[in-house]
């Protein structure tokens, strides 16, 4: 398996030329990197005008590996070839490195780049990427991979510190300025240092903003201290999302939570994150805080609410579960309304974490929950209520990982072990480790509540002096109960309350959507996710309306379901180019991709949006398929595809309005495309 690394952008608040002078001091050896024992220049070239300098070095590394492994390998040092290209005119340094030792067994490739900061020409940016591919190594492939990644992570961490060390050394030597290259300067490998020049101090770098996605300072300020490999996972997963989810992607904090939930296993994190993103889009969770209004019965009888913050600055949520009439709430509202309310609490928690990150000046990505169980008894173990609780836990665990920093359970009664036995299997092991359970009044002494919450904000009902606005609860009047039929209808309404539709796609049975256009120059917009399988997206135009949808030919096999319909409009007797025409190039979309786009209609008539099963290209006779390819093809062919989509038609007047705005405000065509895709959602 190929191991990859991608760094964020690291910023030196010094001019490029000064950073280059510091960089050169690393050679031929660097005492700050003990394993870097020697380097020799094997080739050096300079362009005629002196603007470009190419240097090739052979570097020796004393890798920290077990002595037995070195004896088996038969080497003391590992040699690398490093090729540097310094463009003094463009102010860039590109570095490429690869291993010379064991190059037939292990392939290590690294690229680095120093360049001028795009927003401040007196700052220098540094980026780094690398890959490790171990073909074979005397049966020690796993050991070598671990050693290599450990050594590389260590050198990455020291990299910026080393440059800053030599920058301070230059300053101690009286060098604080290096002249920029000009056609008349002498062509030496590094400009000669000038005498001490006093310059105005650079303005302190502004705190990173959420838009500053790749900056290392932003990561440290808003996301926390990550190891180099953890930073790499974040950057790579975000880059993958940018490539596959062509529109709106989640915030870095959100991506990082899913990575942490899977111990920074990128493949596992990507899988659960994509499932969650599809779920959020289908149920419009991003807009829940603006659209969800809690029913009055929840406002009166749901015994939970936000209350200041804990000692770590985390938002504090208090839930008086023992005082809550769970049966009454379920009978009055139904499962879906309760789930919506809990989701709105989680969304509010994310918002408060962002606010506290700004207030306290350090990353705060989770909150603390205090659950008071005084009053908990057997009536809380009512079976439908427990069922609703388990479903809420399941949804929250799947879509809000690593958002709970600590759960304080106070005044746990004797019945609590029964409830814990029921719910604990549905709670992730990492989450369970964050639970602190206190029976009786044990929470009042040392090691209790005051260790986590300031004494001044402990609620009055827990022996503190702070008034808490959390409702006291009580029994929900039976007059508010609804019949099972009413609750079922309400649950169905909330569950299906989404602007997105789902469709199943089978081999030979595409899903097609008909849109009638009256006025030319209207705009058809689409936003769809490929939930399963690979599909091809097409748009066709016809002057005549297709016949009513044919019955799904696969319906007799019981494949269709209410959540995944299949509609076919283009008759098999129709001829492409005669009865209908293609107006957009086919777009192949892989599983997990999110696609947004728009089409400006040229003619009135009928437009057909088609999602078709993607058939893998057939192999030529001279290029026989591999067994793995055949098995993969059979596996894909045996499953249906599924998409979730939303479309909207904008009138020509609305489109002209957007174009007019862009001409005067500098809004890009990409922004217009996003506006068209998301319509009223923006």
């Amino acid at each position: 398996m190929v191991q990859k690394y991608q760094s964020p952008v690291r910023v030196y608040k010094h001019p490029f030329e000064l950073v280059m002078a510091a960089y050169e001091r690393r050679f031929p050896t660097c005492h700050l990197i003990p394993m870097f024992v020697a380097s020799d220049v094997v080739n050096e070239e300079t362009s005629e005008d002196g603007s470009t300098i190419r240097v090739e070095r052979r570097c020796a590394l004393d890798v920290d590996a077990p002595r037995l492994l070195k004896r088996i390998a038969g080497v003391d040092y590992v040699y690398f070839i490093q090729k540097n290209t310094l463009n003094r005119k463009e102010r860039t340094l590109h570095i490429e490195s690869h291993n010379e030792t064991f190059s037939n067994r292990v392939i290590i490739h690294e690229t680095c780049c120093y360049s001028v900061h795009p927003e401040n020409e007196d700052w220098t940016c540094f980026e780094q990427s690398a890959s490790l591919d171990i073909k074979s190594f005397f049966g020690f492939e796993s050991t070598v991979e671990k050693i290599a990644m450990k050594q590389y992570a260590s050198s990455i961490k020291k990299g910026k510190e080393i440059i800053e060390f030599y920058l301070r050394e230059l300053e101690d030597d009286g060098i604080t300025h290096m002249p920029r290259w000009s056609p008349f300067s002498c062509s030496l490998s590094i400009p000669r240092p000038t005498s001490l020049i006093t310059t105005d101090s650079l303005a302190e770098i502004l705190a990173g903003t959420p838009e500053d996605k790749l900056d290392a300072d932003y990561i440290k300020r808003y996301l926390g201290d990550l190891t180099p490999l953890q930073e790499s996972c974040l950057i790579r997963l975000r880059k993958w999302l940018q490539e596959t989810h062509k529109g709106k992607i989640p915030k870095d904090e959100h991506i990082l939570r899913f990575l942490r939930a899977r111990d920074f296993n990128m493949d596992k994190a990507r899988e659960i994150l994509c499932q969650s993103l599809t779920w959020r889009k289908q149920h419009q969770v991003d807009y829940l805080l603006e659209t969800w209004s809690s029913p009055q019965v929840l406002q009166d009888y749901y015994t939970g609410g936000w209350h200041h913050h804990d000692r770590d600055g985390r938002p504090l949520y208090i839930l008086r579960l023992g005082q809550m009439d769970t049966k009454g709430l379920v009978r009055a509202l139904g499962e879906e309304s309760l789930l919506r309310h809990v989701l709105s609490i989680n969304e509010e928690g994310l918002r408060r974490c962002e606010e506290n990150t700004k207030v306290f000046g350090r990353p705060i990505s989770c909150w603390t929950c205090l659950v008071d169980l005084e009053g908990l008894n057997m009536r809380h173990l009512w079976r439908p209520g427990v069922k609703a609780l388990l479903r809420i836990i399941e949804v929250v665990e799947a879509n809000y990982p690593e958002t709970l920093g600590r759960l304080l359970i106070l005044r746990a009664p004797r019945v609590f072990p029964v409830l814990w036995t029921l719910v604990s299997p549905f709670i992730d092991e990492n989450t369970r480790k964050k639970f602190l359970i206190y029976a009786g009044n044990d929470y009042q002494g040392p090691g209790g509540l005051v260790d986590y919450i300031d004494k001044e904000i402990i609620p009055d009902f827990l022996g503190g002096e702070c008034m808490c606005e959390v409702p006291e609860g009580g029994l929900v009047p039976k007059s508010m109960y609804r019949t099972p039929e009413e609750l079922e209808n309400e649950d169905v309404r909330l569950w299906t309350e989404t602007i997105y539709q789902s469709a199943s796609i089978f081999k030979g049975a595409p899903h097609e959507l008909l849109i009638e256009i009256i006025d030319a120059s209207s705009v058809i917009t689409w936003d769809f996710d490929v939930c399963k399988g690979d599909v091809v997206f097409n748009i066709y135009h016809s002057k005549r309306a297709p016949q009513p949808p044919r019955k799904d030919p696969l319906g007799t096999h019981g494949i269709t379901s209410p959540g995944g319909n299949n509609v076919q409009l283009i008759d098999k007797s129709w001829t492409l180019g005669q009865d209908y025409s293609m107006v957009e190039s086919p777009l192949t979309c892989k599983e997990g991709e999110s696609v947004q786009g728009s089409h400006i209609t040229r003619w009135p008539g009928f437009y057909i949006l088609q999602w078709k099963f993607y058939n893998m290209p057939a192999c030529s006779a001279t290029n026989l398929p591999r067994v793995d390819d055949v098995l993969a093809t059979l596996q894909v062919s045996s499953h249906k595809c599924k998409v979730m989509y939303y479309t909207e038609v904008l009138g020509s007047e609305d489109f002209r309005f957007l174009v007019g705005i862009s001409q005067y405000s500098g809004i890009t065509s990409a922004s217009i495309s996003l506006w068209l895709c998301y319509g009223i959602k923006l």
Side-chain angles (χ1 to χ4, degrees):
M1 180 179 177
V2 179
Q3 295 285 349
K4 295 184 178 180
Y5 169 78
Q6 175 65 55
S7 77
V9 176
R10 307 188 187 279
V11 179
Y12 299 98
K13 294 178 282 184
H14 299 276
F16 175 79
E17 290 73 19
L18 198 61
V19 172
M20 290 299 97
Y23 174 78
E24 279 297 310
R25 292 201 172 196
R26 294 180 54 175
F27 301 101
T29 60
C30 179
H31 69 280
L32 298 174
I33 311 178
M35 71 174 182
F36 185 57
V37 295
S39 65
D40 299 314
V41 176
V42 296
N43 186 34
E44 184 171 355
E45 298 177 2
T46 304
S47 62
E48 292 185 3
D49 62 356
S51 63
T52 303
I53 302 168
R54 294 181 177 86
V55 179
E56 182 176 339
R57 293 184 176 91
R58 187 170 185 260
C59 306
L61 302 181
D62 184 9
V63 179
D64 184 15
R67 183 176 301 177
L68 176 61
L69 187 60
K70 287 187 176 181
R71 285 186 177 181
I72 294 174
V75 298
D76 291 325
Y77 300 130
V78 175
Y79 289 91
F80 276 77
I81 300 299
Q82 183 190 79
K83 297 180 180 180
N84 291 6
T85 302
L86 173 64
N87 189 321
R88 297 162 62 189
K89 181 179 180 180
E90 301 293 335
R91 304 179 75 196
T92 61
L93 172 65
H94 292 281
I95 306 169
E96 288 194 11
S97 305
H98 66 272
N99 60 307
E100 182 183 68
T101 308
F102 301 121
S103 58
N104 60 331
R105 296 179 178 273
V106 180
I107 300 174
I108 302 174
H109 185 258
E110 180 188 58
T111 59
C112 303
C113 178
Y114 289 88
S115 60
V116 178
H117 194 287
E119 297 177 2
N120 190 326
E121 64 177 13
D122 288 329
W123 293 346
T124 305
C125 296
F126 173 73
E127 294 181 77
Q128 183 177 13
S129 63
S131 63
L132 167 67
D133 186 8
I134 300 178
K135 304 294 185 183
S136 64
F137 204 86
F138 313 107
F140 291 92
E141 291 79 13
S142 178
T143 302
V144 171
E145 180 178 297
K146 291 179 181 178
I147 292 174
M149 295 306 294
K150 181 180 179 181
Q151 296 270 333
Y152 193 70
S154 177
S155 65
I156 291 168
K157 191 173 182 180
K158 291 181 179 179
K160 186 176 181 181
E161 298 174 1
I162 292 170
I163 294 296
E164 290 176 340
F165 171 83
Y166 287 118
L167 285 168
R168 290 193 296 269
E169 190 175 84
L170 285 169
E171 185 177 355
D172 293 340
D173 292 343
I175 302 170
T176 61
H177 175 77
M178 300 291 288
R180 293 187 185 180
W181 177 87
S182 69
F184 306 104
S185 61
C186 62
S187 57
L188 296 177
S189 59
I190 288 295
R192 294 184 180 275
T194 62
S195 58
L196 177 62
I197 298 177
T198 304
T199 59
D200 293 333
S201 60
L202 294 175
E204 285 298 321
I205 187 169
L206 296 176
T209 62
E211 290 75 24
D212 196 8
K213 299 292 186 181
L214 300 179
D215 186 87
D217 293 330
Y218 157 75
I219 291 177
K220 185 174 182 179
R221 168 64 178 83
Y222 285 89
L223 304 179
D225 290 320
L226 304 179
T227 68
L229 296 183
Q230 289 173 347
E231 287 180 337
S232 174
C233 288
L234 173 63
I235 301 302
R236 289 164 54 207
L237 182 52
R238 185 182 175 278
K239 182 179 179 182
W240 181 85
L241 287 169
Q242 284 179 316
E243 294 171 351
T244 57
H245 290 59
K246 301 295 191 279
K248 186 178 180 181
I249 67 171
K251 297 178 180 179
D252 290 335
E253 300 94 316
H254 197 71
I255 300 173
L256 187 58
R257 289 187 182 100
F258 282 85
L259 283 168
R260 283 175 170 151
R262 291 298 180 268
D263 295 323
F264 287 87
N265 183 310
M266 251 192 64
D267 293 334
K268 293 181 179 179
R270 178 168 53 198
E271 180 181 357
I272 62 172
L273 176 57
C274 288
Q275 292 172 357
S276 180
L277 291 178
T278 301
W279 171 83
R280 292 182 68 88
K281 180 177 287 188
Q282 183 175 7
H283 300 291
Q284 298 291 279
V285 180
D286 286 341
Y287 311 99
L288 191 61
L289 291 180
E290 292 80 16
T291 59
W292 170 252
S293 178
S294 298
Q296 190 62 43
V297 64
L298 275 176
Q299 298 177 31
D300 295 338
Y301 296 99
Y302 189 86
T303 55
W306 294 100
H307 181 75
H308 301 283
H309 55 79
D310 68 4
R311 288 184 178 272
D312 296 321
R314 297 167 175 165
L316 175 63
Y317 189 83
I318 294 180
L319 180 65
R320 303 184 68 179
L321 185 60
Q323 304 299 316
M324 188 181 296
D325 181 10
T326 53
K327 180 178 180 179
L329 289 175
V330 172
R331 293 289 299 273
L333 295 169
E335 281 189 26
E336 290 305 320
S337 290
L338 280 174
L339 176 59
R340 279 296 168 94
H341 186 64
V342 173
L343 294 181
S344 70
I345 292 171
N346 280 269
E347 290 296 308
E348 174 67 17
L350 295 178
R351 187 186 67 79
R352 287 174 178 261
C353 284
E354 291 182 12
E355 290 182 352
N356 285 16
T357 294
K358 298 174 183 177
V359 171
F360 291 97
R362 61 178 183 273
I364 295 174
S365 60
C366 53
W367 59 82
T368 293
C369 184
L370 187 156
V371 181
D372 179 22
L373 294 183
E374 185 183 47
L376 188 76
N377 54 46
M378 293 301 295
R379 67 183 173 86
H380 289 91
L381 301 182
W382 179 58
R383 187 171 181 178
V386 174
K387 175 176 172 287
L389 175 61
L390 294 180
R391 179 157 177 264
I392 289 172
I393 291 174
E394 183 181 15
V395 172
V396 171
E397 282 284 304
N399 298 285
Y400 298 92
E402 296 298 316
T403 53
L404 180 66
R406 185 180 294 116
L407 181 67
L408 302 170
I409 299 178
L410 308 184
R411 301 197 281 194
R414 292 182 179 181
V415 73
F416 173 72
V418 180
L419 180 62
W420 178 249
T421 302
L422 292 173
V423 302
S424 61
F426 294 86
I427 302 174
D428 182 75
E429 182 180 355
N430 290 333
T431 304
R432 291 202 299 267
K433 293 177 182 178
K434 301 171 183 177
F435 285 35
L436 297 173
I437 303 173
Y438 299 89
N441 293 321
D442 291 346
Y443 70 91
Q444 295 180 346
L449 197 58
V450 291
D451 286 359
Y452 308 103
I453 301 174
D454 288 333
K455 186 177 180 180
E456 294 76 16
I457 65 168
I458 293 179
D460 52 350
F461 60 84
L462 292 176
E465 299 179 357
C466 185
M467 296 298 296
C468 184
E469 297 180 359
V470 175
E472 295 183 1
L475 296 176
V476 177
K478 291 186 177 181
S479 60
M480 294 184 174
Y481 286 12
R482 302 165 78 175
T483 65
E485 292 77 14
E486 290 175 331
L487 291 176
E488 183 178 356
N489 292 336
E490 177 66 12
D491 285 350
V492 170
R493 183 187 71 81
L494 290 173
W495 180 253
T496 57
E497 194 177 68
T498 173
I499 62 175
Y500 288 86
Q501 301 181 55
S502 297
S504 297
I505 301 155
F506 307 92
K507 194 171 184 178
H511 177 72
E512 295 163 344
L513 177 69
L514 181 66
I515 298 176
E516 184 177 3
I517 297 296
I518 305 299
D519 298 324
S521 299
S522 297
V523 182
I524 301 173
T525 70
W526 56 84
D527 176 5
F528 66 87
D529 286 3
V530 184
C531 305
K532 186 175 184 181
D534 301 338
V535 301
V536 178
F537 178 63
N538 288 298
I539 305 178
Y540 300 103
H541 172 262
S542 174
K543 294 181 180 178
R544 59 191 176 104
Q547 296 298 318
R550 304 191 304 276
K551 186 177 180 180
D552 177 15
L554 299 176
T556 56
H557 300 288
I559 297 179
T560 57
S561 66
N565 61 322
N566 179 272
V567 177
Q568 299 171 61
L569 299 168
I570 300 176
D571 196 275
K572 291 185 177 180
S573 63
W574 280 23
T575 302
L576 184 62
Q578 181 177 336
D579 299 291
Y580 67 109
S581 59
M582 183 179 293
V583 296
E584 290 275 357
S585 299
L587 178 64
T588 302
C589 309
K590 300 295 183 181
E591 181 176 321
E593 288 192 11
S594 179
V595 181
Q596 295 83 35
S598 59
H599 174 77
I600 304 173
T601 61
R602 296 178 60 186
W603 316 280
F606 300 91
Y607 287 79
I608 301 171
L609 276 56
Q610 181 194 75
W611 290 269
K612 185 170 63 174
F613 188 94
Y614 173 67
N615 289 310
M616 296 184 68
C619 299
S620 63
T622 58
N623 195 9
L624 296 177
R626 297 184 297 112
V627 174
D628 292 344
D629 294 336
V630 174
L631 292 176
T633 304
L634 292 174
Q635 185 179 14
V636 171
S637 301
S638 63
H639 290 79
K640 67 181 179 181
C641 299
K642 186 176 180 180
V643 296
M644 184 180 71
Y645 65 91
Y646 166 73
T647 63
E648 185 178 8
V649 177
L650 301 179
S652 56
E653 299 82 4
D654 297 329
F655 177 67
R656 284 197 296 269
F657 172 71
L658 284 177
V659 173
I661 290 178
S662 68
Q663 292 174 346
Y664 291 99
S665 64
I667 297 174
T668 64
S669 58
S671 300
I672 293 179
S673 179
L674 281 177
W675 283 2
L676 294 176
C677 295
Y678 285 101
I680 60 173
K681 292 185 287 179
L682 285 181

